[in-house]
Amino acid sequence: MPTELTPLVTTTGAGAPSGKRLIALDLLRGVLMVFMAIDHSKGLLSNMQYPHEQWYDMPEYNGNVYHFMTRFVTSFCAPGFFFLMGWGVALFVESRRNAGWPWMRIFKHYALRGLVLILAQELTDLAVWNIPQRIMNHKYVTTVLFALGINIFLGALILNVEYSAVSHPTVARLTKRQTTVLTALAYAVIAGVLTVLPSLYVPKPEAADTVEFSTWYLLLFLPKASEGDWRNPDFRGVLAIYPVVPWLAHTVWGIGIGRISARLKLGAPRLALLNMVLGIAMLFTAIPLRYNADWTSINPELLPDIRTSFIGFFNNVKYPPSIVYTLITLAGNHILLGVFFAVKQKDNAAGILRVFGSSALFFYMTHFWTYQLFAYVLAACGAVDGSSKLTDGAYWFCYLLGLAVEYFLCRSYGAFKSSTSKDSLWPEHYKGAAVTFVRIESAHKSLNAQYLQHLEVVGGDFEAKVEGEPSVPSFNAQSKNPPISNDVDMLEQDGFTNHTNIDYSANVIENMKAAHLTYPTIRWIVGDIFELQVATAGEMYDTIIDKGTLDAFLTGFPDDDPWDPSQECLEMVERYLHQVCSVLKPGGLFIQITWAQPHFRKRLVGINGLEVTVKKVGSDWEYFVYVCKKNTPT
């Protein structure tokens, strides 16, 4: 929303992150959520039951392609989760280092998040295992959240080593290109070594019955139950499904891709090309390895004959991930990610994949309970029992119904999450925090005049609807201004009473509500300006005012040449203006107030086909008012 004070730096030194998201990463994560739900819901509702791809026991599908595919599509999930997490850690650390965070604060941040993931695993386990048995027998199961929780912290440590190495005087003398090449090689070598490692230490299948492995060895290296049969109700040991080290390779690979993409400032087209090339290269590397290098497929004597069908090629050891398995599944993730980067995406949070992908952890935790609830209800109705479950048709119906439930749950959670700080677990941002601001004078008479001139023009255009009154529907874009908003007071005092204000922080909105109780007609919304259609529930506005909002987002591109903005910067502006235009009535005005001079800003605000005129405001310090009109359809 137009801010009278534009926050630049908090007094705590936290800085303000840019708030950018790579939509393609959310979309891929959303696809993985949909695939993952197949595997977990099958275990609760379907008769399609096969053992997992263990180093000591492989499933045999006997040529049943349908059953195999229901499992195969889920094999991309775990590698994708670790890969995307690594990329996300790289982006987060870079943004927080640019904002002045010390490394100790970053370490604490990821230590807390890692702990949250491990604790979240306990809540999801209760939905899967028999609850009294789980509590009394102290069965500890390391699911994917366990390895993610450890590796997210290890990822921060790895980035600390990289940053320290790059700043070393010897490396600092290299050119940027040389440093980037060395960084890429380092991450590729580390990820490669970690990928090969399980093929070197995993024992032969018979060791599963003859060797007793220590609990720590299982937690770190080898997936297996510590003793006895974990399905036995009397089992009291540890069931390691996702040990830490085998999945660190995928995390490191994601960190490396994230770091190189950032260093090269790759926009969506180049990211699409990079991911396509990597995916195809991995797939064509896996083919000769699968056929000619048995050691790259852990315990190949357990694997199906690759000459019989394509199932034999794709059915590989996942626990722990073999080299061939890693190459095939990461290839699929890269290719799909390349498609998402290549296809122009609109920033629409109503998209199912985007909703799932941006609330992945919440989806993961709740979908177990959703499908377990279905199982309880069906069992109570006599539709399923311990040995007989749903037919295929009934199962797929319940699967889709569960996704529908998850969509609405995740969408509600996403709305809540958007009201919290980007850096904290709870919505503490802007709560009692002292903030340093730089002033844009909304009290300046000439600035007021610019506001009123154009709002009155809009009022005239819509005179039949508003009966000549200046209370036209107007909308104030996102605010970062907890203390005061003279803009709101100004609009009210001049008779413009029908206006809406939005911010992603619930605390800002509550503070502003409390400060303007005398104006009962003002509407306050917690939401994201990159998701205006969702936040405003489809309402359309005559005027939208942005005062310093786009300026704040452009600070997320500190290395950009203002004469030649990066592709990523242009895409961010276009996404913002697309959302603005989506809730702006035909003929309506988008008014932006900024310090940015016309030769820099006019080309940005006009990229969505808006008709732009510029007004200069002020005497000593000059500001600019960009009046952008949305064309009326002919």
Side-chain angles (χ1 to χ4, degrees):
M1 125 179 122
T3 62
E4 166 213 339
L5 300 175
T6 303
L8 299 182
V9 184
T10 65
T11 56
T12 61
S18 67
K20 298 178 292 180
R21 287 187 75 96
L22 293 178
I23 298 178
L25 302 188
D26 282 339
L27 293 176
L28 176 58
R29 201 178 288 111
V31 170
L32 299 180
M33 291 293 115
V34 172
F35 286 166
M36 176 195 67
I38 295 175
D39 202 41
H40 296 159
S41 60
K42 278 199 312 177
L44 295 168
L45 302 172
S46 172
N47 288 314
M48 294 183 283
Q49 303 291 329
Y50 291 88
H52 285 179
E53 303 82 0
Q54 302 277 3
W55 60 272
Y56 55 87
D57 184 23
M58 286 291 292
E60 177 54 60
Y61 293 94
N62 297 314
N64 192 322
V65 176
Y66 164 58
H67 283 190
F68 169 72
M69 290 302 299
T70 62
R71 173 62 180 172
F72 176 66
V73 295
T74 71
S75 64
F76 298 94
C77 297
F81 293 155
F82 287 94
F83 166 64
L84 292 173
M85 183 186 73
W87 194 330
V89 171
L91 293 176
F92 182 92
V93 169
E94 181 182 28
S95 69
R96 293 332 185 253
R97 289 294 294 170
N98 290 337
W101 279 31
W103 278 105
M104 189 54 63
R105 182 175 181 184
I106 292 174
F107 293 153
K108 290 179 179 178
H109 174 89
Y110 279 118
L112 177 60
R113 267 136 184 85
L115 179 62
V116 168
L117 287 172
I118 294 173
L119 293 178
Q121 170 190 264
E122 295 299 297
L123 294 177
T124 58
D125 283 354
L126 291 177
V128 179
W129 311 105
N130 180 278
I131 293 178
Q133 171 192 330
R134 174 74 169 81
I135 295 174
M136 296 178 62
N137 291 1
H138 307 290
K139 180 186 297 181
Y140 188 75
V141 183
T142 66
T143 66
V144 68
L145 293 185
F146 173 82
L148 286 170
I150 302 297
N151 283 345
I152 198 172
F153 180 73
L154 294 179
L157 295 178
I158 291 169
L159 281 164
N160 174 253
V161 173
E162 184 224 316
Y163 277 69
S164 300
V166 169
S167 62
H168 190 276
T170 302
V171 180
R173 289 196 292 267
L174 301 176
T175 66
K176 182 178 180 180
R177 175 174 292 184
Q178 291 172 327
T179 304
T180 301
V181 170
L182 285 176
T183 302
L185 287 174
Y187 278 111
V189 169
I190 295 171
V193 170
L194 289 170
T195 300
V196 171
L197 199 58
S199 295
L200 302 180
Y201 68 72
V202 171
K204 290 296 181 181
E206 52 269 19
D209 298 322
T210 60
V211 178
E212 184 173 332
F213 301 97
S214 72
T215 298
W216 282 109
Y217 189 76
L218 298 179
L219 292 175
L220 293 176
F221 295 102
L222 194 65
K224 186 184 175 298
S226 57
E227 57 184 56
D229 184 0
W230 62 271
R231 295 178 180 84
N232 190 314
D234 295 326
F235 176 77
R236 296 178 179 272
V238 170
L239 173 59
I241 302 176
Y242 285 88
V244 174
V245 174
W247 297 97
L248 186 57
H250 309 75
T251 305
V252 171
W253 181 253
I255 293 173
I257 297 298
R259 290 292 294 136
I260 299 308
S261 301
R263 289 183 68 87
L264 296 178
K265 294 182 173 59
L266 300 181
R270 291 185 178 181
L271 283 170
L273 179 61
L274 173 66
N275 280 278
M276 284 292 188
V277 169
L278 288 173
I280 294 172
M282 286 181 168
L283 186 58
F284 278 91
T285 301
I287 293 173
L289 292 179
R290 179 69 178 90
Y291 280 92
N292 300 304
D294 286 347
W295 68 275
T296 62
S297 301
I298 296 173
N299 291 330
E301 63 271 23
L302 294 177
L303 303 183
D305 189 345
I306 56 178
R307 295 167 297 180
T308 56
S309 72
F310 85 100
I311 293 178
F313 176 80
F314 289 106
N315 191 16
N316 293 283
V317 174
K318 175 182 178 179
Y319 303 99
S322 68
I323 297 172
V324 173
Y325 170 86
T326 294
L327 288 172
I328 291 175
T329 53
L330 281 183
N333 277 279
H334 274 300
I335 291 172
L336 195 54
L337 197 54
V339 171
F340 287 140
F341 275 121
V343 178
K344 192 175 184 61
Q345 301 294 336
K346 298 300 183 181
D347 192 19
N348 184 1
I352 294 176
L353 297 181
R354 182 89 193 276
V355 169
F356 289 161
S358 58
S359 301
L361 176 60
F362 180 81
F363 181 104
Y364 183 90
M365 294 181 63
T366 56
H367 86 287
F368 282 109
W369 291 94
T370 297
Y371 289 113
Q372 182 66 78
L373 179 61
F374 286 4
Y376 285 146
V377 172
L378 291 170
C381 297
V384 299
D385 57 37
S387 58
S388 177
K389 297 184 180 180
L390 298 177
T391 63
D392 287 358
Y395 160 71
W396 287 113
F397 173 80
C398 289
Y399 164 73
L400 294 175
L401 181 62
L403 289 184
V405 171
E406 286 299 313
Y407 171 74
F408 290 104
L409 289 176
C410 290
R411 187 169 175 177
S412 299
Y413 173 74
F416 162 76
K417 189 172 67 172
S418 68
S419 70
T420 68
S421 163
K422 306 290 184 183
D423 302 324
S424 65
L425 294 174
W426 310 108
E428 294 296 327
H429 202 41
Y430 298 124
K431 188 177 282 188
V435 183
T436 301
F437 297 89
V438 173
R439 178 177 294 275
I440 299 179
E441 298 180 90
S442 65
H444 199 289
K445 294 297 183 184
S446 61
L447 189 55
N448 280 13
Q450 296 293 345
Y451 266 139
L452 299 178
Q453 172 189 344
H454 293 291
L455 289 177
E456 287 168 355
V457 167
V458 176
D461 288 344
F462 292 86
E463 184 173 359
K465 188 172 294 186
V466 299
E467 299 180 353
E469 296 297 325
S471 59
V472 298
S474 65
F475 178 83
N476 292 336
Q478 205 152 326
S479 169
K480 300 292 173 292
N481 179 21
I484 50 178
S485 179
N486 286 350
D487 295 311
V488 173
D489 297 324
M490 181 199 75
L491 289 171
E492 287 287 333
Q493 292 164 8
D494 286 301
F496 297 92
T497 58
N498 182 14
H499 56 95
T500 300
N501 303 271
I502 185 172
D503 195 280
Y504 70 74
S505 170
N507 294 316
V508 168
I509 293 299
E510 289 303 316
N511 291 342
M512 297 299 286
K513 275 185 180 179
H516 297 88
L517 294 176
T518 56
Y519 303 133
T521 59
I522 297 178
R523 185 183 179 200
W524 303 92
I525 298 177
V526 177
D528 190 341
I529 61 169
F530 286 98
E531 300 173 349
L532 286 179
Q533 287 180 304
V534 174
T536 62
E539 186 171 349
M540 303 295 287
Y541 296 86
D542 299 299
T543 307
I544 297 178
I545 303 170
D546 168 337
K547 188 174 175 192
T549 301
L550 183 57
D551 294 335
F553 286 114
L554 291 176
T555 62
F557 303 89
D559 298 327
D560 271 18
D561 181 351
W563 297 98
D564 185 24
S566 66
Q567 182 65 29
E568 187 180 6
C569 173
L570 294 175
E571 290 172 358
M572 183 276 294
V573 175
E574 187 174 6
R575 287 196 294 122
Y576 172 44
L577 293 180
H578 170 73
Q579 285 296 301
V580 167
C581 291
S582 70
V583 297
L584 191 62
K585 293 179 181 178
L589 299 181
F590 171 54
I591 301 174
Q592 186 181 72
I593 304 165
T594 175
W595 278 305
Q597 297 180 356
H599 47 270
F600 295 131
R601 183 54 57 86
K602 192 173 180 180
R603 61 171 293 197
L604 293 180
V605 295
I607 61 178
N608 271 46
L610 297 169
E611 294 181 6
V612 184
T613 57
V614 185
K615 304 288 185 179
K616 186 184 295 185
V617 180
S619 54
D620 297 332
W621 283 19
E622 293 181 342
Y623 308 96
F624 298 91
V625 178
Y626 296 82
V627 182
C628 311
K629 184 176 181 180
K630 180 179 179 180
N631 291 323
T632 303
T634 56

